[in-house]
Amino acid sequence: MRWMACVALCSATVLGWAETEIFLATLAKFDPEGGSIILKRTGKPDMNATLHKKPRLWLNKQPADIEQFRQLEGKQVMARVSVGTQVRPVVREMADPDTWKWLEKVRRGVVKGTLVGVENNYLIIEFPDKTRFSYKFTPKTRFERDGKPATLEDFAIGETLYFAPRLLSNLDTMLLSVSNTEKDAQIGRERALPSLQGTIQSIDRQKKILKVLTRAGDLREIRYDDKTEFTFKGKPVKVEQIKPPARATIHRTRDEEGNDYARKVTIQPN
């Protein structure tokens, strides 16, 4: 299973100067007030950790407080732990295994749900199984209705919508895009990513513009210049050698005006 692969490999990412490990363990002891959380992992030494000052604790697909979470003592949990910067590791997030799998789903890709409330820059979403999740929206969140720019006020409580979330370093889940159609939510998500995949439909070599139909169905014009790196099968190629239509992965950045700019273009075999 995909989430178990994450358990086996222990996700490791750099967070400031700390590493974050994600793993399945038995919560042998849960005494945050006493500064002791003992996690027993198969084939590894016990981990004695402390609780983050703003922990994310989850139980039965809902946020839980410390008292509610005590019932998991002696049971298996999924844990997100910062290691390497403290005297002891710091538990930033824990959940029962079923809830962790649910979190993986509602924090990734594009999800469908019903808008049931708006509170302090969060959208409260209810899923078909009646579980709920709070997504943070910011000025960077892209709202669209029927392919056109919209605002939050253009959506009604009780409406079924599509959401593209992104997990932030503080473990908030921000909305990249919100739309009444799945395609527009996918496009909004794709536009926030540092790279995209699609087919180069045409190349204007005079204006130095790639016209790209992306995987999400977005037709985009992306500029390039003499510094843009073009490669095919690991070797450099000239833009004149590219014959559209050509499948490609485009690693992009933005110029000072916020326009897409191709930093690297990897041509894929057709």
Side-chain angles (χ1 to χ4, degrees):
M1 295 173 64
R2 187 174 180 179
W3 77 281
M4 285 302 293
C6 175
V7 176
L9 295 175
C10 294
S11 173
T13 58
V14 175
L15 188 64
W17 289 99
E19 280 192 350
T20 297
E21 292 187 1
I22 298 173
F23 52 82
L24 180 69
T26 298
L27 184 59
K29 183 177 181 181
F30 187 64
D31 181 19
E33 295 87 350
S36 181
I37 298 171
I38 298 178
L39 296 165
K40 289 184 174 291
R41 299 172 291 172
T42 302
K44 292 188 175 183
D46 294 352
M47 177 181 285
N48 192 351
T50 58
L51 192 64
H52 192 273
K53 60 182 178 181
K54 292 183 179 180
R56 302 283 176 138
L57 302 176
W58 303 86
L59 180 63
N60 298 326
K61 301 178 183 178
Q62 297 180 65
D65 58 30
I66 289 174
E67 287 305 313
Q68 292 170 324
F69 206 78
R70 290 187 193 281
Q71 64 185 276
L72 287 180
E73 194 169 60
K75 299 179 181 178
Q76 285 194 322
V77 296
M78 286 293 297
R80 185 190 305 269
V81 183
S82 292
V83 298
T85 61
Q86 305 290 334
V87 176
R88 285 188 292 166
V90 178
V91 174
R92 302 187 64 226
E93 184 172 43
M94 282 196 297
D96 62 273
D98 283 344
T99 296
W100 194 271
K101 287 189 286 186
W102 172 79
L103 286 169
E104 288 281 287
K105 291 180 181 179
V106 302
R107 286 171 166 172
R108 294 174 181 267
V110 169
V111 295
K112 179 181 178 180
T114 301
L115 177 63
V116 296
V118 181
E119 297 179 7
N120 300 321
N121 294 325
Y122 286 86
L123 300 187
I124 315 302
I125 308 305
E126 184 173 279
F127 302 111
D129 63 359
K130 301 304 179 183
T131 59
R132 294 186 175 189
F133 193 80
S134 297
Y135 293 101
K136 184 178 181 65
F137 63 92
T138 74
K140 294 183 178 180
T141 300
R142 177 188 178 108
F143 291 94
E144 285 196 338
R145 177 177 285 282
D146 299 326
K148 297 179 180 180
T151 65
L152 177 58
E153 288 70 28
D154 293 318
F155 301 102
I157 299 298
E159 187 174 2
T160 298
L161 300 170
Y162 294 87
F163 309 88
R166 176 187 176 189
L167 183 64
L168 302 178
S169 60
N170 66 356
L171 302 186
D172 255 354
T173 305
M174 186 190 93
L175 288 171
L176 298 173
S177 65
V178 179
S179 177
N180 64 321
T181 70
E182 183 176 8
K183 179 180 178 180
D184 289 334
Q186 291 281 11
I187 288 174
R189 174 180 178 274
E190 186 180 65
R191 286 196 169 219
L193 298 176
S195 63
L196 61 91
Q197 293 182 322
T199 301
I200 298 175
Q201 302 285 297
S202 64
I203 303 174
D204 187 330
R205 295 186 176 88
Q206 191 170 32
K207 295 181 179 179
K208 295 187 176 181
I209 292 176
L210 306 174
K211 185 170 284 187
V212 182
L213 180 62
T214 72
R215 179 179 286 182
D218 193 12
L219 187 59
R220 300 169 66 174
E221 291 188 347
I222 302 177
R223 294 187 307 106
Y224 67 93
D225 65 13
D226 295 337
K227 294 182 180 179
T228 302
E229 180 184 353
F230 292 89
T231 64
F232 178 67
K233 294 185 177 180
K235 297 181 179 180
V237 295
K238 295 180 179 180
V239 67
E240 291 80 10
Q241 296 175 271
I242 301 171
K243 306 298 182 184
R247 294 192 305 117
T249 298
I250 299 173
H251 304 275
R252 64 178 185 84
T253 184
R254 298 193 178 215
D255 61 19
E256 294 178 356
E257 298 176 354
N259 298 314
D260 281 335
Y261 166 81
R263 175 176 55 83
K264 180 179 180 181
V265 179
T266 302
I267 305 301
Q268 308 292 343
N270 288 322

